[in-house]
Structure formats: C-alpha cells, structure tokens
Amino acid sequence: MNQIQVDLGERTYPVLIGTECLEEALNSLLPDRVQKVALVTQSNIGIIPSINVEHEIFHIDNGERAKTLKTVEDLCSRWAQWGLTRTDVVVAIGGGLVTDVAGFAAAVYHRGVDVIHAPTTLLGMVDAAIGGKTAVNLSEGKNLVGSFWQPVGVVCDISTLSSLPEREWRCGYGEVAKYHFLGAQDLDQQDLAGKIMKCIQLKAEIVREDERETGRRAILNYGHTLAHALEMEKDFSLAHGEAVAIGIRYAAEIAKILGRIDQKRVDEHETVLEYYGLSYKLPSSYDWAQLVSLFQRDKKAVDGISFVLDGPEGIEVVKIEDQEILIQAMEALQ
Ligand code: GLY
C-alpha cells in the first residue's frame, strides 16, 4: 500500500492507495475509542467491507437529485436513532456524491464526527474525497451549502474500479485532464495507479498550501465554472466530468481571446482531452445567456464573474470585465 500525507497540522491525514486493500486499510484507520461505524453508501455500489467493530449500513439514493439537505437530515436522524455518538466514525463508500453528502452530514452531526472516505470512482479518488470539501446542492446552484471537514483518512482501493461503468471513467478522466494543466508532470506516461497517485500528490500539495480556498486552491476549479452551469441548466443530463472537459476547452478559448495563451496551447488542451477520450464540443442546445447568468452564482463570483484561466503565469483566477467574451467563446466552440 502507498501512502500520501495531506499535511494540515493537527488535521493531517493519510491517503492510502493500493489494490485489494479496502478492509485492511479501513480497519487500520479506525481509532481505538470507536464503538460504532456508520457505513454510508448506495445500494448499487455493492462494496461492504468487513469492519472490526459494530457497524450498520446507511443507504442514500443515487443521482445528483439526492444531493440535498433533506438527505443529510435523513442520514442524521437515522444515525441518532441508531445511537451514533461523537466518538464514533462515519465511513463513506462510493463516488463523489456519497463522500460529499456523508462528509457534510458528518461535519454537522453532533457538531462534527470523524469521517473516513473510501472513494470507489476515479473522480472520487483523484478529487472529491481529498481535501475536505463537503456540500449539497440547492435548486439555485451546485454545492451551495457545505463545509470544510477534513476526513481522518482516505482509502483508494484501485480494485474497486474494476466494475466502473464507461461513463464514470470519462467523469474521472475529466478531472485527471485538469491536473495536466495544473502542473502534474508526465501524467500521460503513468499507468492508472501512477496517474491516481500523481493527481492526489498534487491535490494534497495545493490543499496544504490553501486549505480553505482563500487563494491558490481555486485553481482546482479549472473548467468548473461552465461545467457547473451546464450541469444545472439541463438537470444533470451531462455528468460532472463530461461537463468539466467542455469547461476546460471553453476556459482555453476565453484565455486565447484575452491573449493569455496562443493557439498552440489551445491545441494542447484538445490533445489532452482527446487522449482521455473526452468530448469538448459545446452542445448547441444550451441557452447561452442563461449559462452566463448561472456563472454569477458560482462561488468564485464574489465581485462579478471570475474564471480560472491558463496564462503566462500558469493557471489563475481572472476577473472577466467584458461578458461579451463569454458568449464569443461559446460561439467559437460550436
Ligand atoms: N474539487 C475542488 C477542490 O477540492 O478544491
């Protein structure tokens, strides 16, 4: 088993990465004081590790529509009825939806109970389960209610990916593609485990520097401003990673219009997205003005619309002064 440390002072935790290691790793992360473990998962995931202390399974529904405050309330009620205490542990087993929802419920239950994430999707392993962001959606926008709640450990058992549907692979690769532009070296030369490790390593480094996204961490949202708007606008018919791929290509186009990068760099974006089998064409069926209005609800939009863009100094957050550029870039991607 490999280990990458997310160094955050007293909130430091290990990410354990291996194959066929889920049970061993999970049990090794359980503090001695723990009497009960609440396993939060979805019925279709079908991965229930054997845990050395009393445990109970808590299913949540599938699909982005389950990512609500109501699901968090239901989970907390069921934990309270079962007698989960503040000294116990929640284990989240599943994709980003499960770790986001269970992580947020753990953050607020009894004002905070320990959580261990066991991501079973590529997207969960390289992004969602690392770094302590937890959230649920409102009808007004994605991930608008949440908290920073670092797990006490993360277990990435790569063998759990063996039955991952093709669409979920694409979702994960949308996030992996992002790391190419954030500075991960030679990602395309790694096997799957190597890619996962390199992405986690880079994410751990960024989170260590800026745990609460007051600065550099925002670059992890590369491609996400358009992605979140696309997801919301068509009721999540595009999956997150698919939308991120389009969002990355769109961000490259804006950067080119602003003179921050040249066509060669735009071509590099296309090459990376194609390498992962990702489509980056903006579907014509979207209402562009509506997408721009959704950009205003983005969490980075504290003072007008901002985008994470490539440029001579690398990827950074840039305020968009002229909103016409946003439509111009959409037209260019048709
Ligand atoms: N998914 C972006 C972040 O963790 O900051």
Side-chain angles (χ1 to χ4, degrees), residues 127-128 130-133 148 175 178-179 203 206-207 210-211 213 217-221 224 240:
D127 191 48
I130 319 285
K133 273 191 182 176
F148 288 97
E175 293 289 346
K178 170 185 90 178
Y179 287 98
K203 179 148 189 187
I206 294 170
V207 170
D210 179 22
E211 183 184 2
E213 199 173 302
R217 183 168 178 167
I219 67 173
L220 287 166
N221 297 319
H224 283 56
H240 180 65

Side-chain angles (χ1 to χ4, degrees), residues 30 73 91 133 207 232 269 276 326:
L30 289 179
E73 183 186 353
V91 172
K133 273 191 182 176
V207 170
M232 293 297 294
H269 279 71
Y276 289 112
L326 301 172

